[in-house]
Amino acid sequence: MTGQDIRRTLQREFARTLRKPFAQAVKQYRLVRPGDKIAVCISGGKDSMLLALLMQDLQHTVDFSLVFLAMDPGYTPEGRARLEANAAHLGLPLEIFDTNVLRVAGNHAAEHPCFLCAKMRRGHLYAEAQKRGCNKIALGHHYDDAVSTVLMGLLYGGQVQAMLPRLAAKNYPGMELIRPMYHIRERDVQAWVQHCGLDFVSCDCPAKELEHDTKRAAVRTLIDTLAADNPQVGANILNAVKNVDTQKLLGWRDETGFHSFLDRLE
């Protein structure tokens, strides 16, 4: 399938499952405004490549500019070549910069490198986007990522938190992070990949061999198991952080510090 044919699938076969929820998230969370310059962060995987095409498609209705920013954190030569080939096939003018993120994360957090790797990646992407005059970076996290993040925070972090569709960067003034695929299901992304016959870059990180043993994989398996009996499980998990009853919390924190329900009784 040619690159042009692949683009057309977003307006035809996958208009309802990919293009529509993408547009809904952009509108609901006010993710893209006229005049924005957005760096679409390309990892080489299916989610970021789809995001790039959807963002290009959005330019037909909103006047903003794009940069397709790809970080090579230490890919194998084969992985780097596949990233470049896929981008060329899809007509994406990548701007690639090199880092040693995978090596550093593997050396300093060998057993659990994912957190350090993600933090370092984010910092590099913000810095490179800012150099190019961008005011936003766009990441390819989808609905299933958002749902599993809530449950991971509860089970492993002991806190109620959400993966926000939009947030301001703490260390890069004037920069925002947006997640335009927030309403898109992973199964629909996979269906698109299979329909188009695409073969994207797999993760070359130090934890690759343990990917099925990670906490996130375990949480997703749990969600899938529960959803087999109740399809609303995922939606209920995400809705839980949209409808928090602050009168029934033992404690919470904000910019002023930590608070207890006891404060209301004294």
Side-chain angles (χ1 to χ4, degrees):
M1 188 177 287
T2 68
Q4 189 60 37
D5 289 336
I6 292 171
R7 291 170 182 273
R8 290 194 185 101
T9 65
L10 299 178
Q11 300 176 354
R12 297 177 181 176
E13 295 92 338
F14 295 91
R16 181 181 60 83
T17 57
L18 297 180
R19 193 169 186 249
K20 182 178 179 180
F22 171 83
Q24 288 174 334
V26 169
K27 181 179 180 180
Q28 179 179 356
Y29 300 118
R30 300 189 293 276
L31 301 181
V32 180
R33 297 180 182 274
D36 279 343
K37 185 173 184 181
I38 302 174
V40 180
C41 300
I42 307 293
S43 66
K46 65 183 188 309
D47 302 325
S48 63
M49 287 296 199
L50 172 59
L51 172 63
L53 297 185
L54 288 168
M55 292 293 285
Q56 280 188 326
D57 183 69
L58 185 63
Q59 286 184 305
H60 292 115
T61 54
V62 182
D63 183 18
F64 70 102
S65 57
L66 289 171
V67 172
F68 299 100
L69 193 58
M71 179 182 71
D72 183 339
Y75 289 137
T76 62
E78 295 78 13
R80 172 72 173 250
R82 183 177 296 176
L83 167 65
E84 294 173 337
N86 282 335
H89 181 59
L90 296 174
L92 300 174
L94 286 190
E95 297 186 24
I96 303 178
F97 65 96
D98 298 313
T99 72
N100 60 354
V101 167
L102 293 184
R103 180 178 61 79
V104 173
N107 289 340
H108 293 276
E111 293 185 4
H112 304 286
C114 299
F115 176 79
L116 178 59
C117 181
K119 185 176 181 180
M120 293 177 65
R121 284 173 182 259
R122 191 77 51 83
H124 281 296
L125 290 168
Y126 271 128
E128 292 294 328
Q130 197 169 58
K131 286 179 185 178
R132 291 161 172 79
C134 297
N135 64 311
K136 295 177 181 177
I137 65 171
L139 300 184
H141 296 124
H142 46 63
Y143 177 89
D144 297 271
D145 292 322
V147 171
S148 60
T149 293
V150 176
L151 205 53
M152 284 187 68
L154 286 170
L155 297 177
Y156 297 110
Q159 57 187 335
V160 177
Q161 62 178 5
M163 175 183 283
L164 299 178
R166 173 185 174 188
L167 67 155
K170 291 182 178 179
N171 300 318
Y172 297 87
M175 293 285 291
E176 281 191 9
L177 180 153
I178 61 174
R179 296 182 169 103
M181 290 173 57
Y182 204 78
H183 291 329
I184 292 178
R185 297 300 306 267
E186 184 175 26
R187 66 191 180 211
D188 295 323
V189 178
Q190 190 59 47
W192 173 74
V193 170
Q194 293 175 349
H195 177 83
C196 297
L198 297 169
D199 182 19
F200 291 119
V201 176
S202 60
C203 180
D204 282 331
C205 73
K208 180 179 179 180
E209 294 180 358
L210 302 175
E211 61 185 350
H212 296 299
D213 298 322
T214 64
K215 292 181 175 65
R216 186 171 293 274
V219 166
R220 288 199 175 185
T221 299
L222 173 60
I223 294 171
D224 289 342
T225 300
L226 295 172
D229 292 326
N230 179 6
Q232 285 298 113
V233 163
N236 289 342
I237 292 172
L238 198 55
N239 285 336
V241 288
K242 298 179 184 178
N243 301 294
V244 178
D245 185 347
T246 59
Q247 298 297 315
K248 295 181 180 179
L249 292 177
L250 291 172
W252 65 95
R253 68 176 185 268
D254 56 25
E255 64 276 4
T256 65
F258 288 86
H259 307 277
S260 168
F261 79 100
L262 291 171
D263 298 340
R264 296 193 179 105
L265 302 175
E266 299 177 355

